Amino acid sequence: MTETSPKKPSSAAESAPTESASAEPAPAAAPAPGSKPTTERNQSSSLRRALAVLGHVRDHGDGRGVPLAQLADALGLNKSTVLRLAGPLLDEHLLERDRETGWFRLGHGSLRLGQAYLTTLDLRSVAAEHLRRLQREAGETVHLTVWQAPGIVYLDKVEDETNVRMASRVGSRAPAYCTATGKAILAWLPEEAVTEVVEAGLRPVTAWTIADEPRLRADLARIRARGYSIDDRENEPEVRCVAAPIFDHTGEVTAALSVSGLTSRMTAARVRALGPVVAQAGLRISRELGSDRQPS
């Protein structure tokens, strides 16, 4: 009987099945739950940095523009990265680059974008949520008024139905010199507006009305210094109000908002406490209108 020699085991390479050229590649591992794909994260990071480039040029352009080196240093990026990020902004004319100096400045696309935003703005709509929020915080009636020389017109009113209701009505007019919102607007208007109010007459409405020019001008100076105005029973004998100005995208005062209540609740101390709160509400509305005004 002949002995057969054992077969030599095949190598792993020989025993492993060969992949055909047409076989589909193995699917990529699924991302962990809640994680974002790498591409999406990279795009988001690039967008934020591109917006930072645009924002820096907006805030530091100073009419002439911003040099590439300054942009890179300010944002902690190298020059080639800034140029890459600026590419799409230049394509859309959100940025422009001076042919001679190479400095960056805002382009006409930024102007069109700003104009498109401004056309959608409506003061009453922009202010609405801020008025409601302020009313909830203060628990008193909140007004929004606009300038109509030599006085103001009530544009909106938010009040607590459980409190005594104020006599003011949306659409009605009131003097500027004896109302908190009127004085809040008047304090930031040009000198000609103050003169117009004075020449129209400072008739005493209550025993507390500021009814002479020197006292009115002194009060307007105090308002500018602290950022809000006070009507201490000057328009209605049992009502105190505190108000703040609202500025538009040009930096001009266009409106004011106020908190009003009976003197039994709106004590002098409470009015002083509410002043900064009302001023901050005015600044928030102003910013939505495009103003870059800072607190006083």
Side-chain angles (χ1 to χ4, degrees):
M1 183 179 198
T2 58
E3 190 175 23
T4 57
S5 59
K7 291 183 178 180
K8 185 179 179 183
S10 61
S11 68
E14 292 173 332
S15 60
T18 57
E19 253 185 14
S20 67
S22 60
E24 293 184 0
S35 67
K36 292 184 178 180
T38 302
T39 302
E40 184 179 340
R41 287 199 303 271
N42 291 343
Q43 289 175 343
S44 177
S45 175
S46 295
L47 176 59
R48 284 194 297 269
R49 291 190 295 172
L51 291 174
V53 170
L54 185 63
H56 189 84
V57 173
R58 177 198 63 207
D59 296 337
H60 300 87
D62 197 24
R64 297 177 302 163
V66 179
L68 175 60
Q70 179 184 321
L71 263 175
D73 290 344
L75 300 176
L77 303 171
N78 57 51
K79 294 180 181 179
S80 61
T81 299
V82 172
L83 290 172
R84 176 175 60 80
L85 295 171
L89 302 175
L90 291 166
D91 291 342
E92 295 299 320
H93 303 290
L94 296 173
L95 285 182
E96 291 178 355
R97 198 171 185 196
D98 190 279
R99 291 181 180 275
E100 295 182 4
T101 65
W103 289 18
F104 292 92
R105 57 175 177 263
L106 293 182
H108 60 80
S110 293
L111 176 61
R112 292 202 311 273
L113 197 61
Q115 288 175 331
Y117 172 69
L118 290 174
T119 60
T120 68
L121 289 183
D122 171 73
L123 173 60
R124 191 172 181 180
S125 298
V126 169
E129 180 53 37
H130 297 282
L131 299 184
R132 289 192 291 268
R133 173 179 167 184
L134 184 59
Q135 196 283 320
R136 290 192 297 268
E137 286 184 51
E140 303 290 349
T141 299
V142 174
H143 292 107
L144 175 68
T145 70
V146 292
W147 176 249
Q148 193 172 92
I152 51 97
V153 174
Y154 290 96
L155 188 63
D156 206 350
K157 178 180 181 181
V158 183
E159 55 189 338
D160 186 343
E161 299 293 335
T162 63
N163 285 338
V164 176
R165 306 185 74 174
M166 300 289 105
S168 56
R169 291 180 295 102
V170 172
S172 63
R173 292 172 55 90
Y177 66 93
C178 61
T179 54
T181 56
K183 291 192 293 181
I185 296 173
L186 195 58
W188 276 273
L189 283 176
E191 170 63 24
E192 295 77 16
V194 180
T195 300
E196 184 177 0
V197 168
V198 171
E199 290 178 350
L202 304 177
R203 180 180 64 85
V205 180
T206 73
W208 293 273
T209 302
I210 297 175
D212 63 80
E213 183 177 353
R215 289 176 60 213
L216 176 62
R217 290 186 178 277
D219 195 27
L220 296 179
R222 285 192 294 271
I223 293 166
R224 286 190 292 272
R226 69 186 173 216
Y228 62 88
S229 65
I230 297 171
D231 160 10
D232 186 5
R233 301 163 292 174
E234 297 162 43
N235 191 48
E236 296 181 62
E238 296 183 2
V239 174
R240 285 193 180 97
C241 308
V242 56
I246 295 171
F247 302 90
D248 66 11
H249 67 287
T250 68
E252 299 295 323
V253 62
T254 57
L257 77 166
S258 69
V259 172
S260 305
L262 295 177
T263 54
S264 57
R265 295 190 306 272
M266 289 283 283
T267 62
R270 188 162 183 240
V271 165
R272 289 193 297 272
L274 281 171
V277 176
V278 177
Q280 283 300 316
L283 280 175
R284 286 193 293 269
I285 297 172
S286 299
R287 290 191 185 109
E288 285 200 37
L289 292 172
S291 172
D292 60 358
R293 193 173 189 88
Q294 299 301 312
S296 300

